[in-house]
Amino acid sequence: MSIPCFVKTVTRSFTGGSGLFRPTVLCSCKDTVTRKMSSRRQTDHLKRTASVYRQMELFSARVCGIMNESETVKRLRLEVPHPDFSFHAGQWVDFFIPGVDTVGGFSICSSPGLLQREGVIELAVKYTHHPPAHWIHTRCSVDSEVAVRVGGNFFFDPQPSDPVVDLLLVAGGVGINPLYSILLHAADLHRHSHDHGYKPGHTHLCYSAKNTKELLFKNTIIDICRELPDKLSCEFHVTQQSADIEDELQPYTISGRISEEVLQRHVDPERTLCYLCGPPPMIEKLNADLQRFGLSKDKILFEKWW
């Protein structure tokens, strides 16, 4: 695929203070978005998300870092220099690769603050045979050129006048990506509330994976919770752990799926705003559980990944 000629490519200039945040709504997810991660019958990302909000502009980006986040997931760091490029925590990008006809769709796993501070975004991409993911794992290298376009109705972007909410983030597998972005953004809001004027309540992350090796970002998540122990907390759930759980993870890790009891402990119908991201069966069950606990539908926001 040739990248369209209207891709924006000028240099970003950075500002501090109030420039860190852009006004929008607290959150949005009016339409449930289901996006398949890997399937031989996988339909085109652009067709699946045709009715979902996306920005008009494409922006050029340069790969400036690649690392193994796990045995099957690579974390990609992209420099996006244009000053007009922005996103909200939880959104994804259309991912255009020169020479690859298929357009990828990957959630941004970094915070808006990192873009403001360093001019970069990060994606965590699981290996599949789907052409964009396969390219990232087999052909992508530092200095590779791509283009990105931001989209998605699933995000958290509070304004100073918005009511304080407690966040409950529930992730399954690689569904952690947009929720990790929201977690990082919540931490930034606590660190820089004097600049932004909004400080969220308590944020709790429930994250389920097959085993501890597949828990992405676990060390950083723990570090953030230790830095802000009164404001952020986490628990990891492993469903197919065969080896002993590592000593440093034991205080945070539970064997088994996320139970109704675990979920209910973190639900206050008056204050909780819940974001769910993971496989559709998991999301459907958790959505029903949360409503049974008294949480209204407008406080349960979700995005399904297959």
Side-chain angles (χ1 to χ4, degrees):
M1 169 173 286
S2 60
I3 297 175
C5 61
F6 53 87
V7 173
K8 294 191 174 182
T9 59
V10 306
T11 303
R12 168 181 292 272
S13 60
F14 297 95
T15 59
S18 60
L20 179 61
F21 306 93
R22 293 172 183 268
T24 183
V25 297
L26 173 66
C27 57
S28 176
C29 192
K30 293 182 180 178
D31 302 311
T32 302
V33 179
T34 302
R35 294 187 281 157
K36 290 186 179 180
M37 286 294 291
S38 59
S39 170
R40 291 182 179 178
R41 298 176 297 165
Q42 185 163 5
T43 56
D44 180 77
H45 161 73
L46 295 180
K47 291 180 180 178
R48 290 196 309 278
T49 60
S51 63
V52 180
Y53 166 79
R54 52 176 34 89
Q55 296 176 2
M56 294 295 292
E57 298 88 359
L58 283 174
F59 295 90
S60 65
R62 179 183 69 87
V63 177
C64 58
I66 307 174
M67 65 173 288
N68 293 324
E69 189 62 40
S70 73
E71 293 179 355
T72 59
V73 175
K74 285 191 181 292
R75 194 196 303 202
L76 207 62
R77 175 169 278 219
L78 300 174
E79 180 185 34
V80 190
H82 198 284
D84 291 343
F85 180 80
S86 66
F87 73 97
H88 306 309
Q91 289 187 302
W92 40 260
V93 291
D94 297 330
F95 193 82
F96 297 83
I97 306 164
V100 177
D101 289 337
T102 306
V103 177
F106 305 116
S107 286
I108 301 169
C109 64
S110 53
S111 69
L114 181 67
L115 174 67
Q116 181 63 32
R117 293 187 296 269
E118 300 184 25
V120 300
I121 63 171
E122 294 184 339
L123 313 175
V125 180
K126 189 177 180 67
Y127 177 82
T128 72
H129 292 293
H130 189 238
H134 191 263
W135 179 85
I136 287 171
H137 278 261
T138 62
R139 297 174 56 192
C140 180
S141 61
V142 172
D143 290 331
S144 290
E145 297 284 344
V146 297
V148 293
R149 178 173 56 201
V150 172
N153 300 328
F154 179 84
F155 59 81
F156 177 65
D157 186 50
Q159 298 307 296
S161 60
D162 288 330
V164 173
V165 295
D166 293 333
L167 294 177
L168 174 58
L169 312 177
V170 188
V174 291
I176 186 62
N177 284 339
L179 302 188
Y180 182 59
S181 175
I182 292 173
L183 181 75
L184 294 174
H185 188 46
D188 277 346
L189 289 173
H190 284 293
R191 297 182 187 117
H192 306 293
S193 60
H194 57 284
D195 291 330
H196 183 247
Y198 182 89
K199 183 181 290 188
H202 188 85
T203 299
H204 183 75
L205 170 69
C206 291
Y207 177 16
S208 176
K210 290 181 179 178
N211 54 60
T212 54
K213 288 186 177 180
E214 295 193 14
L215 289 168
L216 308 182
F217 321 119
K218 54 185 175 285
N219 294 328
T220 304
I221 291 170
I222 291 172
D223 288 344
I224 293 172
C225 292
R226 286 174 174 169
E227 176 193 350
L228 299 165
D230 296 331
K231 302 300 182 183
L232 287 88
S233 58
C234 67
E235 57 190 65
F236 305 131
H237 295 256
V238 290
T239 59
Q240 299 178 30
Q241 182 80 12
S242 56
D244 291 339
I245 295 172
E246 299 91 322
D247 290 345
E248 63 273 17
L249 296 180
Q250 286 184 7
Y252 306 94
T253 306
I254 300 170
S255 294
R257 300 183 184 279
I258 300 170
S259 68
E260 294 181 19
E261 293 75 19
V262 166
L263 207 60
Q264 190 168 16
R265 285 201 300 267
H266 301 285
V267 173
D268 177 342
E270 299 301 320
R271 286 179 57 93
T272 302
L273 178 64
C274 183
Y275 288 83
L276 310 174
C277 190
M282 172 186 173
I283 298 306
E284 288 160 9
K285 181 183 185 307
L286 295 178
N287 183 32
D289 290 342
L290 289 164
Q291 290 187 53
R292 193 166 62 255
F293 301 152
L295 203 58
S296 60
K297 290 182 179 181
D298 63 329
K299 294 184 178 180
I300 306 170
L301 313 175
F302 54 86
E303 188 166 60
K304 300 176 182 179
W305 287 88
W306 288 10

